[in-house]
Amino acid sequence: MFVLSSPSGAGKTTMSRRLIVDDPEIVMSVSVTTRPPRPGEIDGRDYHFIDDAKFDELLEAGELLEWATVFGHRYGTPREPVQDALHAGRDVLFDIDWQGTQQLQQTDAGSDLVRVFILPPGMGELERRLRSRGTDSDPVIAHRMRRAATEISHWGEYDYILINDDPDLCLGEIRAILKAERLARRRQIGLAGFVRDMLAKT
Ligand SMILES: Nc1nc2c(ncn2[C@@H]2O[C@H](COP(=O)(O)OP(=O)(O)O)[C@@H](O)[C@H]2O)c(=O)[nH]1
Ligand SMILES: Nc1ncnc2c1ncn2[C@@H]1O[C@H](COP(=O)(O)OP(=O)(O)O)[C@@H](O)[C@H]1O
């Protein structure tokens, strides 16, 4: 389970999209949200856009692996697609906030979590990016900027911290983390058998 968190506008959606395009081993967890779609967002790709009643229903049925209220809307991770992907031996990428990351840490698979926090190069640049995205009104941008310091204050709960200045560099760093974590001894299932067989043939 590979988590990317950041203050709004630091670039985690951009990084996630680029990462999954050319890495078939990792699948994106598509969250449900009660937030209305932004221009250009596609239902089922960016989010599953649902209303409050449907969110309550999913919560009561225990179908969310984690959930949180962010910027006045509720967001949650559907449990089943994540479990299916993990059982199939695939990695799962989550674009979720610090509250969701803490909840994933407490699940059975918590020890398998890799947590990456993306910082912007500066607060002025963060606001410029939110404006350049062109998807949010001035009050929404102001709200996200007010919340940014709270989000950033949770950086110490993450395993890796990246500064997203040059996007290509940042993506390269994310790929490097993923590669190294995949090579970790505890994740190389079947390695003991491979070594035993190899030595038996000598
Ligand atoms: N806990 C949790 N947070 C989520 C989930 N989906 C998205 N978020 C977070 O909600 C925040 C707002 O997301 P969004 O409205 O897409 O705005 P953006 O961060 O500016 O792209 C971001 O910090 C996301 O990482 C989820 O399923 N669970
Ligand atoms: N390294 C970067 N340099 C300049 N602009 C960037 C960079 N990374 C992302 N952006 C732009 O900043 C805006 C916010 O990025 P986005 O991925 O939507 O952030 P988040 O998902 O963290 O809210 C987008 O317009 C995106 O194209």
Side-chain angles (χ1 to χ4, degrees):
M1 298 200 292
F2 195 83
V3 172
L4 286 183
S5 298
S6 80
S8 181
K12 61 197 172 308
T13 307
T14 308
M15 294 300 140
S16 307
R17 282 196 189 150
R18 288 183 61 183
L19 187 67
I20 54 168
V21 164
D22 49 15
D23 189 339
E25 301 278 298
I26 195 158
V27 291
M28 185 87 210
S29 165
V30 180
S31 298
V32 293
T33 181
T34 60
R35 156 167 93 58
R38 293 181 186 136
E41 282 185 328
I42 297 171
D43 189 31
R45 181 195 69 170
D46 298 293
Y47 283 105
H48 300 288
F49 295 99
I50 62 174
D51 60 18
D52 270 309
K54 180 69 184 170
F55 200 99
D56 287 338
E57 207 179 286
L58 293 176
L59 253 187
E60 273 163 37
E63 288 183 26
L64 299 181
L65 193 55
E66 62 74 33
W67 71 278
T69 300
V70 191
F71 308 127
H73 295 289
R74 289 187 292 174
Y75 297 79
T77 301
R79 185 187 297 276
E80 206 175 288
V82 174
Q83 283 177 343
D84 290 351
L86 293 178
H87 284 146
R90 303 184 76 185
D91 298 328
V92 182
L93 176 63
F94 299 85
D95 168 345
I96 60 173
D97 79 333
W98 60 272
Q99 304 173 81
T101 307
Q102 286 185 352
Q103 293 170 55
L104 286 190
Q105 188 73 56
Q106 284 153 18
T107 63
D108 290 346
S111 60
D112 203 35
L113 199 61
V114 179
R115 299 161 300 181
V116 180
F117 196 87
I118 300 179
L119 288 170
M123 298 309 274
E125 173 63 12
L126 184 66
E127 188 163 353
R128 262 191 298 283
R129 287 185 192 174
L130 283 172
R131 294 198 183 284
S132 76
R133 189 163 69 186
T135 53
D136 300 301
S137 64
D138 284 351
V140 168
I141 289 175
H143 188 194
R144 281 163 191 259
M145 285 305 296
R146 280 197 304 276
R147 279 291 304 266
T150 309
E151 291 287 328
I152 291 173
S153 72
H154 289 275
W155 68 270
E157 295 158 27
Y158 286 74
D159 305 306
Y160 299 92
I161 314 296
L162 306 179
I163 298 174
N164 179 17
D165 196 350
D166 178 304
D168 293 332
L169 213 70
C170 186
L171 186 64
E173 288 168 347
I174 293 171
R175 286 204 184 107
I177 296 166
L178 197 53
K179 179 88 182 171
E181 290 286 347
R182 282 172 176 162
L183 290 171
R185 187 180 60 227
R186 68 181 190 285
R187 291 207 178 85
Q188 296 212 48
I189 299 154
L191 197 57
F194 169 78
V195 172
R196 196 180 48 237
D197 292 351
M198 180 172 66
L199 294 179
K201 284 178 194 143
T202 57

